[in-house]
Amino acid sequence: MSRNQNSKKGRNGERKEPLMEKTNSIVEKSIMDEEDVGAFMDEKVVIKNKTDVVIENEGIKDIYKEWSVENTKELLQKITEQIPKRDNLQYEFRLNLIDWDKVKFKEYSANDCHKKWKDISKGIRSYRLMKEYLHEARALLKKSGSSSNNKEWKFPTKPIKPLTSFMLYYVLKKKSFTKANPTLKMIEVATLLGKKYNDLPKTKKDKFINFSKEMSEDYKIAMEKFYTAHPEAIPPKTSRNSSLKRKSATTPVKEDLPPNSSSEDSEDGSDFGKRRKTTKKKSENPPISAYSLRKQSVLNKNNVEHQDIPLEDRMLDNSKQRMVTSAEDKMQCEEEFQSVEQNNKTERASYLQSLPEDKQPDELKKTSSKIKVDVLAKNTPRKARNSSVKNEYSKLKNGENQVDKPEIKEKSNNNPEVKEDLIPVKKLFEGEPEKPPGTAYEIFLKNFQEQNPQADVSSAESLWAKLSEEKIKFYTKMHKEAKQKYLEDFEAFLNSLDEDQLKNYSCNKSCEDQDDSSDSEDDL
DNA sequence: CACTACATTTTGATTCACCT
DNA sequence: AGGTGAATCAAAATGTAGTG
């Protein structure tokens, strides 16, 4: 692009004024008519040289200094010697760097040589033809095609990943958005569009989501075809070492974070791991998603049928299988998951109700292990998930135990199976925000109970199970927003406390927590 | 200086290593 | 065994650092 721009400039890089060009051509023409000095050089060059000399007031006799072909050749050689072997500077910059004192030879001064070069270069074409571009393009293709690193050149037909719903929205809106806000930087545009996307009405958002899903399905089919045609393109199974590479790739690992949250769990003395081992059979863990359910089923099936195949391979198979799963199959899987999840909820609720009242909170705590993930991972931007909020939690965790307590407090309220009347009511601190319902289902239940005060919980449950996908999404969104608001309010609440209040709050919560944990220990 | 590689922002889908 | 979480990758334009 810069070369095209340069081609519009004068040889010295400065932009020629149209008036100036006109003036020069008139001058050249008039001189051409009266002079015949082109003994061995291009007429135009000599004439131009003449005007230059006149303008620079260097004496009229220099105009007629002769340049034989041999001397001109020698000049070119001298200039060539001044250029480094690996010269990659643009013409104008290189020209400015040439030391004409080193070029000068025989009776020609540095100025003579410089001027002569200016004249010669006038006769050189400064633009490139299409065929020249094509020639270079072929050379580039040859070069790039041989590079094993260049995937695009190696597999030009490889389908590109489909855009996510947000990406579709971003691409669609970016142009008009930047036009309306030309001062915004690209990063700001992305941030604002991200916010706008999140605030998008559900119906509009669904359009993008659906389209994205369609694209995703097409991509899967295309990839399947591509891998059939190019089995060599199938990525080789990665070794354990490759994880290090992945970590050191584009996104730097946050050093202030523990390697993973599970180690954090064990480090802080929490017995989450132990609890899983001692109190629950693995098979009792309900699937957390449709994918999880499918994976569970596939892996179990494989377990029976192909016990000799390594787990990693089976997981890979599962991933591959997922790649080629049809939309219908996926829907079925999703429905299956919803049904399983609802069954689990119902079973869990009746189990909780069957427990003695003092055991219920502990049982709730055992199963609601993932508050951080649920609240933070799902409802905050990725960056916040990874750093700010997590850091905030861990920072406070280390020094100020008051945050642990709300966390646990929230845990007990965040369980999908929680019935309001099962939660021991804890007094709220002054200004402390009220906890939101723990699940989308609870929001639905609350609404349901408000509208049908006579109806019992089981009818709400069966209604929830039959709820359309759209309505479930609606309640999920409401739930998300409520949780997000609570997080923000809670953070603001903590910030608003002075040291004494914080101690007081911390102490209150610690006492509550001690009660809870002693119960918990007993239970274990 | 020219050029290249990478980081920056956003969301969501996908993949897969790792840990319990 | 399998749940979890981190990495990656799609798009865009621009800035920056490193290399030659």
Side-chain angles (χ1 to χ4, degrees), chain A residues 11 24 27-29 31-32 35-54 56 62-68 72 75-76 112-125:
Chain A
R11 271 292 169 207
N24 278 348
V27 172
E28 283 170 20
K29 201 167 184 288
I31 294 171
M32 243 195 311
E35 309 273 2
D36 183 20
V37 288
F40 57 87
M41 290 301 299
D42 182 299
E43 279 184 344
K44 211 177 165 187
V45 167
V46 177
I47 291 154
K48 181 73 174 110
N49 201 6
K50 192 173 172 180
T51 55
D52 279 350
V53 174
V54 171
E56 287 164 25
D62 289 344
I63 301 165
Y64 302 104
K65 192 175 272 179
E66 288 195 358
W67 278 92
S68 68
T72 310
L75 170 70
L76 297 182
D112 291 335
C113 295
H114 190 182
K115 273 187 284 179
K116 179 62 183 171
W117 170 250
K118 281 165 86 180
D119 294 337
I120 293 169
S121 63
K122 270 289 168 192
I124 297 168
R125 177 158 50 85

Side-chain angles (χ1 to χ4, degrees), chain A residues 478-493:
Chain A
M478 274 181 75
H479 174 234
K480 265 184 165 183
E481 286 169 358
K483 280 200 287 187
Q484 183 59 38
K485 191 177 180 308
Y486 172 73
L487 258 187
E488 285 165 8
D489 290 349
F490 186 73
E491 219 175 316
F493 160 69

